[in-house]
Amino acid sequence: MRNLNKKALFIVITEVLWNFAKALNLTTNTYCGTAENIFVSNDSDNWWQVHTQPDQSIFVRSVDLDEGHIHSCYEYKAINSLGRIISFDTFCYPSVIVTGVRKCSTSALFSLFALHPKAKRSVQKENCAFIGDRSLLQYFDSLPRNVELDEMIIDGCVDLQGNMKIRKMLRYPKTFFVILVRDFTDWLWSAYNYWCDPGIDKYQCSPENKWVNVEFHFRSVNGFHDIVQGSI
């Protein structure tokens, strides 16, 4: 019975958040400032340059690929040093991105959004433009190429600085950013139980991702209290 009540509560919360985000994207103009001062358009077809390197330059332009008009969609093209188009495709940027500080329930909220039947989620949470070894084109290719009516693309990425960078690069898409923070004391306790230092925690710590090995978890409230008191 308790599990059924919890599931029902999740459904209600998701529907409320979903409709709230959709209403904001339908009625709010998120454009801030003039993009002409940031990027230089290189031709008369509304393309603007977002990235350049010795062997290629990347351009994007806005296109209408969303029947519901709640997403910002784009065409992109990559041009090599000889002026030839070597890559061309489309993508739609997420309408909702869950972001904020790590260990502030961003994964939980992203999973909650993903339960909605109209959610079109990324392959994995933390589908961030500037984290990892992917190129900008590979990031664009990870996004949906179009959106059906009433669908909403959701993503989760705690790289807040990167989110603002790609937002500026794409000339302020119609995206609702859910930014999560947390009481600092609660955050410290959560971080203390989650992250570790292989040089200090030895076998308690996973060297691959610096997460605590739960089978060797010896963190304690008293130990946490002593560390905090010792740093005051």
Side-chain angles (χ1 to χ4, degrees), residues 157-179:
C157 174
V158 295
D159 180 16
L160 187 56
Q161 184 176 1
N163 288 333
M164 296 301 101
K165 182 179 178 181
I166 192 72
R167 177 174 179 266
K168 189 175 182 181
M169 182 183 292
L170 296 177
R171 297 188 173 181
Y172 307 98
K174 296 182 290 186
T175 299
F176 178 52
F177 291 89
V178 183
I179 303 175

PDB file of all heavy atoms in Angstrom, residues 157-179:
ATOM      1  N   CYS A 157      22.057  17.917 -16.324  1.00  0.00           N
ATOM      2  CA  CYS A 157      23.481  18.229 -16.447  1.00  0.00           C
ATOM      3  C   CYS A 157      23.856  19.208 -15.349  1.00  0.00           C
ATOM      4  O   CYS A 157      23.346  20.335 -15.317  1.00  0.00           O
ATOM      5  CB  CYS A 157      23.788  18.817 -17.824  1.00  0.00           C
ATOM      6  SG  CYS A 157      25.495  19.376 -17.997  1.00  0.00           S
ATOM      7  N   VAL A 158      24.733  18.797 -14.437  1.00  0.00           N
ATOM      8  CA  VAL A 158      25.110  19.659 -13.317  1.00  0.00           C
ATOM      9  C   VAL A 158      26.258  20.603 -13.662  1.00  0.00           C
ATOM     10  O   VAL A 158      26.731  21.335 -12.802  1.00  0.00           O
ATOM     11  CB  VAL A 158      25.471  18.833 -12.064  1.00  0.00           C
ATOM     12  CG1 VAL A 158      24.265  18.074 -11.548  1.00  0.00           C
ATOM     13  CG2 VAL A 158      26.624  17.877 -12.350  1.00  0.00           C
ATOM     14  N   ASP A 159      26.705  20.574 -14.914  1.00  0.00           N
ATOM     15  CA  ASP A 159      27.725  21.530 -15.358  1.00  0.00           C
ATOM     16  C   ASP A 159      27.035  22.858 -15.648  1.00  0.00           C
ATOM     17  O   ASP A 159      26.752  23.200 -16.802  1.00  0.00           O
ATOM     18  CB  ASP A 159      28.442  20.996 -16.601  1.00  0.00           C
ATOM     19  CG  ASP A 159      29.524  21.946 -17.101  1.00  0.00           C
ATOM     20  OD1 ASP A 159      29.935  22.848 -16.333  1.00  0.00           O
ATOM     21  OD2 ASP A 159      29.945  21.798 -18.266  1.00  0.00           O
ATOM     22  N   LEU A 160      26.772  23.622 -14.595  1.00  0.00           N
ATOM     23  CA  LEU A 160      25.998  24.854 -14.733  1.00  0.00           C
ATOM     24  C   LEU A 160      26.707  25.860 -15.635  1.00  0.00           C
ATOM     25  O   LEU A 160      26.078  26.511 -16.481  1.00  0.00           O
ATOM     26  CB  LEU A 160      25.747  25.472 -13.351  1.00  0.00           C
ATOM     27  CG  LEU A 160      24.815  26.678 -13.289  1.00  0.00           C
ATOM     28  CD1 LEU A 160      23.462  26.345 -13.897  1.00  0.00           C
ATOM     29  CD2 LEU A 160      24.650  27.159 -11.853  1.00  0.00           C
ATOM     30  N   GLN A 161      28.023  25.977 -15.489  1.00  0.00           N
ATOM     31  CA  GLN A 161      28.782  26.893 -16.333  1.00  0.00           C
ATOM     32  C   GLN A 161      28.704  26.476 -17.807  1.00  0.00           C
ATOM     33  O   GLN A 161      28.532  27.309 -18.700  1.00  0.00           O
ATOM     34  CB  GLN A 161      30.238  26.952 -15.874  1.00  0.00           C
ATOM     35  CG  GLN A 161      31.090  27.954 -16.642  1.00  0.00           C
ATOM     36  CD  GLN A 161      32.506  28.047 -16.103  1.00  0.00           C
ATOM     37  OE1 GLN A 161      32.883  27.345 -15.161  1.00  0.00           O
ATOM     38  NE2 GLN A 161      33.310  28.915 -16.687  1.00  0.00           N
ATOM     39  N   GLY A 162      28.812  25.161 -18.051  1.00  0.00           N
ATOM     40  CA  GLY A 162      28.687  24.660 -19.415  1.00  0.00           C
ATOM     41  C   GLY A 162      27.300  24.880 -19.979  1.00  0.00           C
ATOM     42  O   GLY A 162      27.142  25.180 -21.171  1.00  0.00           O
ATOM     43  N   ASN A 163      26.265  24.728 -19.135  1.00  0.00           N
ATOM     44  CA  ASN A 163      24.891  24.982 -19.582  1.00  0.00           C
ATOM     45  C   ASN A 163      24.724  26.424 -20.046  1.00  0.00           C
ATOM     46  O   ASN A 163      24.071  26.694 -21.062  1.00  0.00           O
ATOM     47  CB  ASN A 163      23.905  24.691 -18.447  1.00  0.00           C
ATOM     48  CG  ASN A 163      23.751  23.204 -18.175  1.00  0.00           C
ATOM     49  OD1 ASN A 163      23.951  22.385 -19.059  1.00  0.00           O
ATOM     50  ND2 ASN A 163      23.399  22.864 -16.947  1.00  0.00           N
ATOM     51  N   MET A 164      25.302  27.355 -19.287  1.00  0.00           N
ATOM     52  CA  MET A 164      25.187  28.761 -19.663  1.00  0.00           C
ATOM     53  C   MET A 164      26.000  29.067 -20.922  1.00  0.00           C
ATOM     54  O   MET A 164      25.614  29.912 -21.741  1.00  0.00           O
ATOM     55  CB  MET A 164      25.645  29.646 -18.504  1.00  0.00           C
ATOM     56  CG  MET A 164      24.788  29.536 -17.245  1.00  0.00           C
ATOM     57  SD  MET A 164      23.032  29.971 -17.511  1.00  0.00           S
ATOM     58  CE  MET A 164      22.276  28.332 -17.628  1.00  0.00           C
ATOM     59  N   LYS A 165      27.110  28.351 -21.096  1.00  0.00           N
ATOM     60  CA  LYS A 165      27.935  28.555 -22.287  1.00  0.00           C
ATOM     61  C   LYS A 165      27.212  28.107 -23.554  1.00  0.00           C
ATOM     62  O   LYS A 165      27.177  28.839 -24.555  1.00  0.00           O
ATOM     63  CB  LYS A 165      29.260  27.800 -22.132  1.00  0.00           C
ATOM     64  CG  LYS A 165      30.216  27.980 -23.297  1.00  0.00           C
ATOM     65  CD  LYS A 165      31.517  27.220 -23.048  1.00  0.00           C
ATOM     66  CE  LYS A 165      32.464  27.352 -24.238  1.00  0.00           C
ATOM     67  NZ  LYS A 165      33.734  26.606 -24.022  1.00  0.00           N
ATOM     68  N   ILE A 166      26.616  26.905 -23.510  1.00  0.00           N
ATOM     69  CA  ILE A 166      25.919  26.406 -24.700  1.00  0.00           C
ATOM     70  C   ILE A 166      24.641  27.213 -24.930  1.00  0.00           C
ATOM     71  O   ILE A 166      24.222  27.432 -26.073  1.00  0.00           O
ATOM     72  CB  ILE A 166      25.601  24.885 -24.567  1.00  0.00           C
ATOM     73  CG1 ILE A 166      25.152  24.315 -25.919  1.00  0.00           C
ATOM     74  CG2 ILE A 166      24.558  24.617 -23.503  1.00  0.00           C
ATOM     75  CD1 ILE A 166      26.261  24.193 -26.916  1.00  0.00           C
ATOM     76  N   ARG A 167      24.021  27.686 -23.865  1.00  0.00           N
ATOM     77  CA  ARG A 167      22.826  28.536 -23.981  1.00  0.00           C
ATOM     78  C   ARG A 167      23.168  29.822 -24.741  1.00  0.00           C
ATOM     79  O   ARG A 167      22.427  30.255 -25.629  1.00  0.00           O
ATOM     80  CB  ARG A 167      22.293  28.861 -22.584  1.00  0.00           C
ATOM     81  CG  ARG A 167      21.091  29.794 -22.555  1.00  0.00           C
ATOM     82  CD  ARG A 167      20.559  29.926 -21.127  1.00  0.00           C
ATOM     83  NE  ARG A 167      19.425  30.826 -21.063  1.00  0.00           N
ATOM     84  CZ  ARG A 167      19.502  32.123 -20.773  1.00  0.00           C
ATOM     85  NH1 ARG A 167      20.691  32.653 -20.505  1.00  0.00           N
ATOM     86  NH2 ARG A 167      18.434  32.885 -20.724  1.00  0.00           N
ATOM     87  N   LYS A 168      24.300  30.415 -24.393  1.00  0.00           N
ATOM     88  CA  LYS A 168      24.743  31.629 -25.076  1.00  0.00           C
ATOM     89  C   LYS A 168      25.125  31.323 -26.526  1.00  0.00           C
ATOM     90  O   LYS A 168      24.812  32.087 -27.451  1.00  0.00           O
ATOM     91  CB  LYS A 168      25.936  32.211 -24.321  1.00  0.00           C
ATOM     92  CG  LYS A 168      26.400  33.573 -24.758  1.00  0.00           C
ATOM     93  CD  LYS A 168      27.517  34.049 -23.830  1.00  0.00           C
ATOM     94  CE  LYS A 168      27.987  35.441 -24.206  1.00  0.00           C
ATOM     95  NZ  LYS A 168      29.084  35.902 -23.310  1.00  0.00           N
ATOM     96  N   MET A 169      25.777  30.172 -26.721  1.00  0.00           N
ATOM     97  CA  MET A 169      26.216  29.773 -28.053  1.00  0.00           C
ATOM     98  C   MET A 169      25.034  29.585 -29.002  1.00  0.00           C
ATOM     99  O   MET A 169      25.107  29.920 -30.180  1.00  0.00           O
ATOM    100  CB  MET A 169      27.035  28.481 -27.936  1.00  0.00           C
ATOM    101  CG  MET A 169      27.602  27.948 -29.230  1.00  0.00           C
ATOM    102  SD  MET A 169      28.480  26.383 -28.972  1.00  0.00           S
ATOM    103  CE  MET A 169      29.886  26.927 -28.010  1.00  0.00           C
ATOM    104  N   LEU A 170      23.920  29.037 -28.468  1.00  0.00           N
ATOM    105  CA  LEU A 170      22.729  28.770 -29.286  1.00  0.00           C
ATOM    106  C   LEU A 170      21.747  29.939 -29.296  1.00  0.00           C
ATOM    107  O   LEU A 170      20.604  29.781 -29.720  1.00  0.00           O
ATOM    108  CB  LEU A 170      22.032  27.502 -28.794  1.00  0.00           C
ATOM    109  CG  LEU A 170      22.832  26.203 -28.930  1.00  0.00           C
ATOM    110  CD1 LEU A 170      22.055  25.025 -28.349  1.00  0.00           C
ATOM    111  CD2 LEU A 170      23.209  25.934 -30.387  1.00  0.00           C
ATOM    112  N   ARG A 171      22.211  31.085 -28.823  1.00  0.00           N
ATOM    113  CA  ARG A 171      21.397  32.303 -28.810  1.00  0.00           C
ATOM    114  C   ARG A 171      20.126  32.149 -27.979  1.00  0.00           C
ATOM    115  O   ARG A 171      19.017  32.428 -28.430  1.00  0.00           O
ATOM    116  CB  ARG A 171      21.095  32.776 -30.231  1.00  0.00           C
ATOM    117  CG  ARG A 171      22.352  33.173 -30.997  1.00  0.00           C
ATOM    118  CD  ARG A 171      22.042  33.820 -32.332  1.00  0.00           C
ATOM    119  NE  ARG A 171      23.265  34.333 -32.948  1.00  0.00           N
ATOM    120  CZ  ARG A 171      23.298  34.965 -34.112  1.00  0.00           C
ATOM    121  NH1 ARG A 171      22.187  35.145 -34.799  1.00  0.00           N
ATOM    122  NH2 ARG A 171      24.445  35.409 -34.594  1.00  0.00           N
ATOM    123  N   TYR A 172      20.318  31.654 -26.770  1.00  0.00           N
ATOM    124  CA  TYR A 172      19.282  31.622 -25.751  1.00  0.00           C
ATOM    125  C   TYR A 172      18.030  30.845 -26.168  1.00  0.00           C
ATOM    126  O   TYR A 172      16.977  31.415 -26.460  1.00  0.00           O
ATOM    127  CB  TYR A 172      18.926  33.057 -25.331  1.00  0.00           C
ATOM    128  CG  TYR A 172      20.149  33.833 -24.918  1.00  0.00           C
ATOM    129  CD1 TYR A 172      20.784  34.703 -25.806  1.00  0.00           C
ATOM    130  CD2 TYR A 172      20.710  33.651 -23.656  1.00  0.00           C
ATOM    131  CE1 TYR A 172      21.941  35.392 -25.444  1.00  0.00           C
ATOM    132  CE2 TYR A 172      21.859  34.332 -23.285  1.00  0.00           C
ATOM    133  CZ  TYR A 172      22.472  35.200 -24.176  1.00  0.00           C
ATOM    134  OH  TYR A 172      23.605  35.858 -23.821  1.00  0.00           O
ATOM    135  N   PRO A 173      18.150  29.509 -26.230  1.00  0.00           N
ATOM    136  CA  PRO A 173      16.997  28.666 -26.586  1.00  0.00           C
ATOM    137  C   PRO A 173      15.889  28.729 -25.535  1.00  0.00           C
ATOM    138  O   PRO A 173      16.115  29.161 -24.401  1.00  0.00           O
ATOM    139  CB  PRO A 173      17.609  27.257 -26.655  1.00  0.00           C
ATOM    140  CG  PRO A 173      18.820  27.330 -25.777  1.00  0.00           C
ATOM    141  CD  PRO A 173      19.353  28.714 -25.934  1.00  0.00           C
ATOM    142  N   LYS A 174      14.692  28.274 -25.924  1.00  0.00           N
ATOM    143  CA  LYS A 174      13.531  28.278 -25.025  1.00  0.00           C
ATOM    144  C   LYS A 174      13.639  27.098 -24.061  1.00  0.00           C
ATOM    145  O   LYS A 174      12.927  26.110 -24.185  1.00  0.00           O
ATOM    146  CB  LYS A 174      12.246  28.196 -25.844  1.00  0.00           C
ATOM    147  CG  LYS A 174      11.994  29.374 -26.742  1.00  0.00           C
ATOM    148  CD  LYS A 174      10.676  29.247 -27.499  1.00  0.00           C
ATOM    149  CE  LYS A 174      10.749  28.167 -28.550  1.00  0.00           C
ATOM    150  NZ  LYS A 174       9.524  28.129 -29.405  1.00  0.00           N
ATOM    151  N   THR A 175      14.524  27.225 -23.099  1.00  0.00           N
ATOM    152  CA  THR A 175      14.791  26.132 -22.158  1.00  0.00           C
ATOM    153  C   THR A 175      14.530  26.592 -20.736  1.00  0.00           C
ATOM    154  O   THR A 175      14.942  27.684 -20.341  1.00  0.00           O
ATOM    155  CB  THR A 175      16.253  25.652 -22.287  1.00  0.00           C
ATOM    156  OG1 THR A 175      16.470  25.176 -23.618  1.00  0.00           O
ATOM    157  CG2 THR A 175      16.544  24.535 -21.296  1.00  0.00           C
ATOM    158  N   PHE A 176      13.840  25.733 -19.972  1.00  0.00           N
ATOM    159  CA  PHE A 176      13.560  25.996 -18.561  1.00  0.00           C
ATOM    160  C   PHE A 176      14.590  25.245 -17.726  1.00  0.00           C
ATOM    161  O   PHE A 176      14.629  24.022 -17.721  1.00  0.00           O
ATOM    162  CB  PHE A 176      12.132  25.542 -18.222  1.00  0.00           C
ATOM    163  CG  PHE A 176      11.753  25.713 -16.783  1.00  0.00           C
ATOM    164  CD1 PHE A 176      11.913  26.921 -16.154  1.00  0.00           C
ATOM    165  CD2 PHE A 176      11.215  24.651 -16.065  1.00  0.00           C
ATOM    166  CE1 PHE A 176      11.555  27.088 -14.828  1.00  0.00           C
ATOM    167  CE2 PHE A 176      10.856  24.798 -14.742  1.00  0.00           C
ATOM    168  CZ  PHE A 176      11.026  26.034 -14.117  1.00  0.00           C
ATOM    169  N   PHE A 177      15.458  25.982 -17.026  1.00  0.00           N
ATOM    170  CA  PHE A 177      16.490  25.381 -16.192  1.00  0.00           C
ATOM    171  C   PHE A 177      15.986  25.247 -14.757  1.00  0.00           C
ATOM    172  O   PHE A 177      15.614  26.237 -14.129  1.00  0.00           O
ATOM    173  CB  PHE A 177      17.767  26.228 -16.201  1.00  0.00           C
ATOM    174  CG  PHE A 177      18.495  26.219 -17.517  1.00  0.00           C
ATOM    175  CD1 PHE A 177      18.202  27.143 -18.506  1.00  0.00           C
ATOM    176  CD2 PHE A 177      19.480  25.274 -17.767  1.00  0.00           C
ATOM    177  CE1 PHE A 177      18.860  27.137 -19.715  1.00  0.00           C
ATOM    178  CE2 PHE A 177      20.153  25.253 -18.979  1.00  0.00           C
ATOM    179  CZ  PHE A 177      19.845  26.187 -19.966  1.00  0.00           C
ATOM    180  N   VAL A 178      15.948  24.009 -14.271  1.00  0.00           N
ATOM    181  CA  VAL A 178      15.591  23.744 -12.877  1.00  0.00           C
ATOM    182  C   VAL A 178      16.896  23.641 -12.094  1.00  0.00           C
ATOM    183  O   VAL A 178      17.643  22.667 -12.236  1.00  0.00           O
ATOM    184  CB  VAL A 178      14.787  22.442 -12.731  1.00  0.00           C
ATOM    185  CG1 VAL A 178      14.362  22.244 -11.285  1.00  0.00           C
ATOM    186  CG2 VAL A 178      13.574  22.458 -13.649  1.00  0.00           C
ATOM    187  N   ILE A 179      17.206  24.644 -11.284  1.00  0.00           N
ATOM    188  CA  ILE A 179      18.476  24.714 -10.565  1.00  0.00           C
ATOM    189  C   ILE A 179      18.251  24.310  -9.114  1.00  0.00           C
ATOM    190  O   ILE A 179      17.505  24.965  -8.386  1.00  0.00           O
ATOM    191  CB  ILE A 179      19.077  26.134 -10.649  1.00  0.00           C
ATOM    192  CG1 ILE A 179      19.249  26.547 -12.113  1.00  0.00           C
ATOM    193  CG2 ILE A 179      20.406  26.206  -9.922  1.00  0.00           C
ATOM    194  CD1 ILE A 179      19.729  27.962 -12.308  1.00  0.00           C
TER     195      ILE A 179
END
